[in-house]
Amino acid sequence: MKITVIGAGNVGATAALKIAEKQFANEVVLIDVVEGIPQGKALDMYESGAVSLFDTRVIGSNDYKDSADSDIILITAGLARKPGMTREDLLMKNAAIIKEVTSQVMKYSTNPIIVMVSNPVDIMTYVAHRVSGLPKERVIGMGGVLDTARYKNFIAETLNISMQDISALVLGGHGDAMVPVVNYTNVAGIPLTELLPLDIIDGLVERTRNGGIEIVNYLKSGSAYYAPAASTVEMIEAIARDRKRILPCTTLLDGQYGINNVFCGVPVKLGKNGIEQVLEINLSAPERSALQRSADIVEKNCKMLESLFA
Ligand code: LAC
């Protein structure tokens, strides 16, 4: 198992280290355009193996050739959000970067699985899918796992219980229109609505929607990376170990939920073939229209990129 991480910034480097520590890959290659940074970070991580006790080879490089024959390629390259910037503001700049990165990695790996993290993630997943020509099962966006992690964290803190006992789901695009599904949220099987009044739940849902910007506002120059990296590695581990995990991920819908030809976050089964199944759950009418609204925003933004593919 060889995993390449494109982008040696905070998300890329944190994810690379977690992958190395978890030992489900033989080799992790960290690639970045900045000279010395991927080499230095990779060597530093590799040396930590003597203390953290892993033998995963970690290599840093500025050359896409070193990504050759990767099984999984994690793309984190691009600009991060600054205060006052929406994920969509990043659209044009990052789309051009993702187009270039995708065509470079596809020169050296024939049938990789691409996991996209760069924002706006649903749209960047579309760019990678379009440029790579890979089947839709092999181009997956990370959004829902992170949003669900934040939602669970806020619930656990409010109820003063373990995060481990919460099962929850956030659907839709990884943007302000995301759809935390309250009816599918439970604590050890107990519906959340039996444990918290609706106005409190509404507050947690709202905080989840703004979870990314809450961190951006603290950091000022940069966005979240610990929870994004942890969420990404959960997806990659499910694929690498063929775990068949059910996780909310961004995938190209073709009719499910009444949405056609748009990348959107929904529950999927993740295994060695990437997305092995899209699960369609019953949604209330307001949840369904919220999901549609979120997908419409993604679709509109994707259409703005036509000139990129001319
Ligand atoms: C977030 C950004 C990275 O949600 O999208 O934190």
Side-chain angles (χ1 to χ4, degrees):
M1 173 69 51
K2 173 170 175 175
I3 299 176
T4 290
V5 179
I6 308 293
N10 285 330
V11 177
T14 309
L17 179 60
K18 278 180 183 289
I19 293 166
E21 287 176 341
K22 283 173 171 274
Q23 301 193 79
F24 53 76
N26 313 77
E27 194 179 344
V28 180
V29 179
L30 186 62
I31 294 183
D32 198 289
V33 285
V34 185
E35 247 169 74
I37 296 292
Q39 291 88 344
K41 289 193 181 186
L43 178 59
D44 189 14
M45 283 179 209
Y46 190 36
E47 289 168 354
S48 80
V51 185
S52 304
L53 300 182
F54 63 81
D55 291 301
T56 316
R57 188 82 177 87
V58 191
I59 294 161
S61 173
N62 305 117
D63 191 340
Y64 283 96
K65 274 198 192 93
D66 290 311
S67 73
D69 303 318
S70 290
D71 299 286
I72 301 173
I73 295 170
L74 164 59
I75 300 182
T76 73
L79 307 170
R81 251 199 317 171
K82 303 234 160 60
M85 231 180 159
T86 65
R87 294 183 179 93
E88 280 76 21
D89 290 336
L90 289 176
L91 180 64
M92 283 310 207
K93 285 185 176 125
N94 279 355
I97 294 172
I98 298 312
K99 181 187 173 195
E100 168 66 12
V101 164
T102 305
S103 52
Q104 287 294 339
V105 293
M106 289 307 295
K107 282 188 198 160
Y108 304 103
S109 296
T110 40
N111 196 27
I113 290 174
I114 294 181
V115 176
M116 180 62 63
V117 172
S118 310
N119 268 321
V121 68
D122 310 277
I123 303 153
M124 295 307 118
T125 313
Y126 158 78
V127 172
H129 177 250
R130 189 150 168 187
V131 173
S132 66
L134 287 166
K136 65 180 192 307
E137 295 75 20
R138 303 184 79 83
V139 187
I140 311 163
M142 191 289 292
V145 177
L146 170 60
D147 299 327
T148 304
R150 288 181 174 143
Y151 181 44
K152 286 183 184 178
N153 175 277
F154 303 152
I155 293 167
E157 197 184 28
T158 305
L159 288 170
N160 189 27
I161 57 164
S162 169
M163 292 188 252
Q164 199 182 322
D165 292 323
I166 302 169
S167 179
L169 195 53
V170 180
L171 305 181
H174 179 56
D176 309 334
M178 68 179 73
V179 189
V181 194
V182 175
N183 289 334
Y184 286 90
T185 307
N186 70 71
V187 176
I190 307 160
L192 183 65
T193 47
E194 290 189 21
L195 298 171
L196 284 173
L198 276 179
D199 59 321
I200 300 284
I201 296 176
D202 284 347
L204 302 178
V205 163
E206 201 44 36
R207 189 172 172 203
T208 302
R209 287 211 179 95
N210 298 315
I213 205 71
E214 185 177 356
I215 306 283
V216 171
N217 287 339
Y218 280 122
L219 296 179
K220 306 281 191 290
S221 64
S223 55
Y225 52 100
Y226 292 115
S231 305
T232 308
V233 174
E234 183 172 52
M235 289 166 58
I236 291 177
E237 185 171 17
I239 297 165
R241 293 197 200 272
D242 193 24
R243 290 283 310 278
K244 319 284 189 201
R245 297 277 320 268
I246 307 297
L247 297 170
C249 300
T250 297
T251 185
L252 182 62
L253 295 179
D254 51 10
Q256 301 94 337
Y257 297 93
I259 296 167
N260 237 312
N261 211 20
V262 182
F263 276 90
C264 191
V266 294
V268 301
K269 188 203 281 182
L270 280 188
K272 65 176 188 307
N273 302 308
I275 293 179
E276 300 188 350
Q277 193 187 340
V278 173
L279 286 85
E280 219 172 334
I281 57 170
N282 288 318
L283 295 175
S284 66
E287 286 163 352
R288 237 187 141 78
S289 55
L291 186 64
Q292 184 66 55
R293 202 164 47 245
S294 181
D296 287 346
I297 295 170
V298 174
E299 188 174 25
K300 196 183 87 206
N301 282 306
C302 288
K303 286 207 171 115
M304 281 166 49
L305 295 176
E306 252 340 282
S307 59
L308 193 70
F309 304 108

